[in-house]
């Protein structure tokens, strides 16, 4: 039985992760801590959690906690992960892992030195649609992959805006919030590393001191080109992921979402085939894989290194937007 503590009492925890942890037959959500103790108490009452700790330190000092899920604002991920590792707790951290690659690498090294499992909560790779697209690519259904396109332009709802649109010091902005997901999905579906990014950012009316839209191109180690468009300001758009190869194309529609929805179509020789997928809760699968990793059965769905790689791509996108040139993505 993995006994979990939640660090942060925000929307993702409330809408998805608390229930995902509680749904595991080998898991228990024991407690929650927040920078605001009253918020932690209200969260615990709402979700039926046994303990609301007065501080993060109190949660980490509890010997009955085995693993923590960290969903605080981005600037807190590093110190809280280091503290959790020092306390011997396994860590599932929200993306981006940190605001700099050096900080994220220190987090990963600390967890490795402490002998605890560390994962990144990149939920999208747990989607049945993304796993189906990865399988189609891996089995050669589209031949040699030449290009991909990611459509991840959405309208950020009011209850999720807050720090994401007005606190650059907390890692706000669309690149840290959404482009990191694109990067992880590209790496997962294509089984390829991203080596270069060219990007332009924009302020389209929602961001206050941070970018609320970005568009650009990634190049992978195998020479594939990937076009991406992310925004907080697109009220009427569909999300999607396309893969184009020498023998066919894959069209994933409505697949860049937290909901277990979306469709995958394979198009070859003028014929279209809808791929049958069995949808499941993305976050439940993420926690299931993490619990298994703690038991020594494989790795988390998204590892610490996956989190490092997606952060490196996001940082390269921001660097490209600032410089107006191509930014290299360092190997991690």
């Amino acid at each position: 039985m993995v006994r979990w503590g939640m660090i942060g009492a925000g929307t993702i925890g409330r809408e998805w992760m608390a229930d995902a942890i509680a749904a595991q037959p080998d898991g228990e959500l024991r407690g929650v801590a927040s920078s605001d103790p009253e918020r932690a108490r209200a969260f615990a009452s709402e979700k039926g959690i046994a303990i609301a700790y007065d501080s993060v330190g109190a949660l980490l000092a509890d010997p009955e906690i085995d693993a923590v899920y960290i969903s605080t604002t981005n600037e807190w991920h590093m110190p809280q992960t280091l503290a959790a590792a020092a306390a011997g707790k396994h860590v599932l951290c929200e993306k981006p892992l940190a605001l700099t690659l050096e900080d994220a690498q220190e987090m990963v090294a600390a967890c490795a030195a402490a002998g605890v499992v560390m994962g990144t909560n990149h939920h999208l790779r747990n989607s049945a649609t993304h796993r189906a697209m990865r399988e189609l690519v891996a089995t050669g259904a589209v031949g040699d992959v030449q290009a991909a396109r990611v459509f991840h332009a959405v309208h950020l709802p009011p209850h999720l805006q807050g720090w994401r649109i007005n606190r650059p010091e907390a890692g706000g902005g669309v690149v840290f919030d959404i482009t990191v997901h694109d990067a992880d999905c590209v790496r997962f579906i294509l089984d390829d590393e991203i080596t270069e990014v060219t990007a332009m950012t924009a302020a389209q009316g929602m961001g206050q001191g941070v970018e609320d839209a970005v568009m650009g191109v990634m190049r992978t180690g195998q020479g594939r080109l990937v076009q991406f468009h992310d925004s907080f300001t697109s009220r009427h758009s569909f999300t999607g992921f396309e893969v184009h190869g020498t023998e066919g194309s894959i069209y994933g529609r409505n697949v860049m979402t937290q909901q277990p929805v979306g469709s995958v179509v394979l198009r070859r020789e003028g014929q279209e085939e809808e791929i049958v997928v069995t949808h499941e809760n993305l976050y439940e699968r993420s926690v299931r894989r993490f619990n298994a990793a703690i038991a020594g059965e494989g790795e988390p769905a998204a590892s610490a290194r996956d989190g490092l790689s997606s952060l490196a791509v996001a940082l390269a996108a921001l660097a490209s937007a600032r410089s107006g040139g191509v930014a290299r993505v360092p190997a991690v």
Side-chain angles (χ1 to χ4, degrees):
M1 181 65 66
V2 179
R3 299 164 299 184
W4 282 83
M6 295 183 66
I7 299 177
T11 302
I12 303 302
R14 174 175 290 103
E15 293 183 350
W16 297 102
M17 283 299 291
D19 293 340
I21 293 170
Q24 306 303 317
D26 61 349
E28 172 193 359
L29 181 50
R30 175 175 171 82
V32 59
S34 170
S35 58
D36 180 351
E38 182 53 42
R39 187 178 188 186
R41 286 189 284 272
F43 188 97
S45 176
E46 176 187 344
K47 304 304 292 186
I49 302 170
I51 304 174
Y53 298 90
D54 289 336
S55 67
V56 172
L59 183 153
L60 294 176
D62 186 347
E64 298 298 313
I65 294 291
D66 303 310
V68 295
Y69 164 63
I70 298 177
S71 64
T72 47
T73 51
N74 299 330
E75 82 276 25
W76 286 105
H77 292 177
M78 179 199 179
Q80 289 168 348
T81 294
L82 296 182
K89 315 299 185 186
H90 305 288
V91 177
L92 179 59
C93 186
E94 270 299 334
K95 55 77 212 167
L97 290 185
L99 302 185
T100 70
L101 194 57
E102 292 76 16
D103 284 355
Q105 288 169 326
E106 184 176 349
M107 294 160 63
V108 174
C111 287
V116 298
V117 174
M118 182 180 177
T120 310
N121 202 32
H122 272 307
H123 63 281
L124 287 170
R125 60 166 57 204
N126 291 285
S127 167
T129 53
H130 287 237
R131 287 182 282 128
M133 288 188 284
R134 175 183 169 90
E135 180 69 13
L136 289 169
V137 169
T139 56
V142 297
D144 295 329
V145 173
Q146 299 170 319
R149 297 202 294 173
V150 188
F151 310 99
H152 206 164
V154 297
H155 183 260
L156 191 67
H159 74 282
L160 289 180
Q161 292 176 14
W163 65 271
R164 288 178 175 84
I165 66 168
N166 60 22
R167 288 188 60 202
E169 73 279 6
V174 74
V175 172
F176 275 148
D177 202 59
I178 296 182
T179 307
V180 285
H181 282 308
D182 298 354
D184 188 65
C185 293
V186 169
R187 293 182 63 252
F188 178 71
I189 292 171
L190 302 188
D191 192 21
D192 198 357
E193 296 297 334
I194 299 163
T195 59
E196 294 178 310
V197 184
T198 304
M200 292 184 180
T201 56
Q204 298 181 333
M206 184 179 291
Q208 302 166 30
V210 298
E211 80 289 344
D212 56 22
V214 61
M215 188 174 286
V217 178
M218 304 169 183
R219 189 193 304 275
T220 74
Q222 297 185 42
R224 289 88 172 250
L225 295 178
V226 181
Q227 179 188 51
F228 66 98
H229 175 209
D230 307 323
S231 83
F232 289 157
T233 59
S234 301
R235 290 182 177 272
H236 312 291
S237 59
F238 289 105
T239 69
F241 195 111
E242 299 176 0
V243 181
H244 302 288
T246 55
E247 305 297 329
S249 292
I250 303 166
Y251 294 88
R253 191 178 192 190
N254 196 25
V255 296
M256 308 297 286
T257 172
Q258 296 166 303
Q259 300 289 340
V261 298
S263 63
V264 177
V265 171
L266 174 63
R267 188 169 190 269
R268 296 185 292 191
E269 298 180 353
Q271 302 296 314
E272 294 186 0
E273 174 191 357
E274 183 161 354
I275 305 301
V276 176
V277 298
T278 301
H279 292 292
E280 64 177 309
N281 185 295
L282 285 63
Y283 292 92
E284 288 183 12
R285 186 177 187 276
S286 177
V287 177
R288 184 168 72 246
R289 289 284 303 274
F290 195 86
N291 285 358
I294 291 174
E297 300 170 7
E299 289 194 341
S303 67
R305 181 180 176 274
D306 292 322
L308 285 176
S309 296
S310 63
L311 173 61
V313 174
L315 290 167
L318 290 170
S320 172
R322 286 193 296 267
S323 70
V326 177
R328 295 285 301 173
V329 179
V332 297

